[in-house]
Amino acid sequence: MDDGNGDPHRQRSRFVTFSRDDASRIAEILAAAARTEIMPRFKALADGDVRHKTSVFDPVTEADEAAERAISAALLEAWPGAVIVGEEATAADPSLPGRLAEAKLAFTVDPIDGTRNFVAGLPLFGVMAAAIVDGAVVAGVIHDPVCQDTVWALKGGGAWLSRDGRPPKRLQVAAPAALDRMEGIAGTHYLPEPLRATVLRNLPRLGSSTWLRCAAHEYRMAASGACHVLFYNRLMPWDHAPGWLLHQEAGGYSAHFDGSAYVPAHTTGGLICAPDRASWQIVRDALIGG
C-alpha cells in the first residue's frame, strides 16, 4: 500500500501504530461533528426526528445519523481504506461488526452514546470512536459535547483528559476498596433470566449502584476514579471498545463474566471492569456467584 511517496511501508506503519497526533485527529473529528450535527439539534428535535430501531428503548435521531455520516467521512478522509463500523450503519448492514476481527484498520463509531438521554433533553451523552488494528483496540476517544472536553487512550500510552487551554491530565482508576465501599454502575436490562434476578438481588452488596444510560460517561467515571465497578452484559463494539481501552490504560482490570479477555469482536459474555484483578474477582463472585 503506497502513501503517495513511493514507500509502501510508511503507510503500513501508520496503520499499525497510533500516535498522540492520531488520537488528536480523531478527537477533532468527533468534536466537529458534535458542534455541527449534534448540539444544534439538542432540545430542538421535531416529532419526526426520532424513530425506534429494535424497541422503544432503542431510539435513533436525525442527529445520530447526520453525526455518523460526518464522522465516517472524516475518518475515511484521514485513513483511506479503513473499515468503519458505525452503530447506525450496522442497523442497515448487520454484517459490519464481523469485519472487525480481520480488518487491517477499522474504526467503531457511536455518534451519540446515550441517545435516550439526548432525546429526553438530558445533557448526559457522548460521542465515541475506537481504532482497531488487526482485531486489537489501539486507540479510544470519548468526547463530551456539552462540557466540550475529551478523554482518550492509546494502547501502552495511558489514558488522558484534554480540555482547551490546559495540559492533558492523566487518568487513574479508583484505588481498591472493600466490597461494601465500592461504587458501581450496572446495566442489567440485557441480562437473561435467571442471571438478571441474581444480579439485581446482589447489587446491594456494593456500597452503591446506579446506571446513567450512557456508557460514554460511565467509562469516563471509572477511568477517572469516580466509581469502582462497571457491569455490562451486551457488548456492542461502538459502546465498549473505546471505554474498555480507556479503563485499561487508566490502570484498571476487566474481563468477561467467565474471566476471559475482552476483544471488540465479542458482543456477548458480559464485562466487569474493576480497579484490579482481585477486585474483579470479588465483584464477580458477589454479583454472579462462585
Side-chain angles (χ1 to χ4, degrees):
M1 188 180 301
D2 198 327
D3 68 348
N5 295 315
D7 184 355
H9 300 292
R10 291 181 63 186
Q11 182 70 9
R12 178 178 172 83
S13 68
R14 186 181 182 190
F15 274 60
V16 172
T17 303
F18 265 66
S19 66
R20 284 196 175 205
D21 288 343
D22 293 319
S24 294
R25 179 63 185 132
I26 298 171
E28 290 166 2
I29 289 169
L30 300 189
R35 285 193 305 271
T36 60
E37 305 295 349
I38 296 173
M39 293 310 294
R41 293 177 168 94
F42 183 47
K43 297 190 177 183
L45 293 169
D47 290 343
D49 291 339
V50 182
R51 301 178 302 283
H52 293 92
K53 293 180 287 187
T54 59
S55 74
V56 295
F57 301 110
D58 189 17
V60 60
T61 72
E62 293 295 316
D64 293 83
E65 294 175 337
E68 183 168 305
R69 287 194 297 269
I71 293 167
S72 298
L75 289 173
L76 286 173
E77 182 178 358
W79 288 277
V83 172
I84 309 295
V85 179
E87 178 176 9
E88 309 315 330
T90 298
D93 181 2
S95 71
L96 277 176
R99 301 181 64 187
L100 289 175
E102 301 298 331
K104 173 55 63 179
L105 173 66
F107 291 95
T108 63
V109 176
D110 194 340
I112 303 180
D113 184 74
T115 300
R116 290 170 64 190
N117 293 342
F118 181 81
V119 171
L122 298 176
L124 193 65
F125 48 90
V127 189
M128 301 203 289
I132 298 171
V133 172
D134 292 327
V137 188
V138 299
V141 181
I142 302 176
H143 178 68
D144 180 348
V146 177
C147 294
Q148 299 182 42
D149 61 18
T150 305
V151 293
W152 53 276
L154 291 171
K155 185 177 182 180
W160 304 84
L161 167 65
S162 292
R163 293 190 175 102
D164 286 344
R166 304 183 190 180
K169 175 184 177 183
R170 189 150 194 169
L171 301 181
Q172 181 67 40
V173 297
L179 183 66
D180 62 0
R181 297 186 63 185
M182 290 188 191
E183 296 187 53
I185 293 175
T188 60
H189 52 304
Y190 289 116
L191 284 168
E193 294 293 359
L195 181 58
R196 185 169 186 265
T198 298
V199 172
L200 288 173
R201 183 174 64 249
N202 289 329
L203 273 176
R205 300 181 69 181
L206 297 173
S208 70
S209 64
T210 189
W211 180 47
L212 304 183
R213 304 197 307 186
C214 180
H217 280 281
E218 292 163 357
Y219 275 112
R220 286 175 63 120
M221 288 181 64
S224 61
C227 69
H228 299 84
V229 176
L230 301 178
F231 183 99
Y232 299 110
N233 184 56
R234 193 176 71 160
L235 305 177
M236 306 314 294
W238 46 83
D239 287 328
H240 296 282
W244 170 82
L245 183 67
L246 185 77
H247 180 262
Q248 183 182 60
E249 290 297 327
Y253 179 85
S254 60
H256 290 309
F257 295 163
D258 65 1
S260 60
Y262 168 80
V263 295
H266 293 173
T267 59
T268 61
L271 186 68
I272 298 172
C273 301
D276 59 12
R277 185 167 187 167
S279 299
W280 180 93
Q281 192 66 56
I282 290 169
V283 171
R284 193 267 180 205
D285 291 347
L287 298 186
I288 295 177

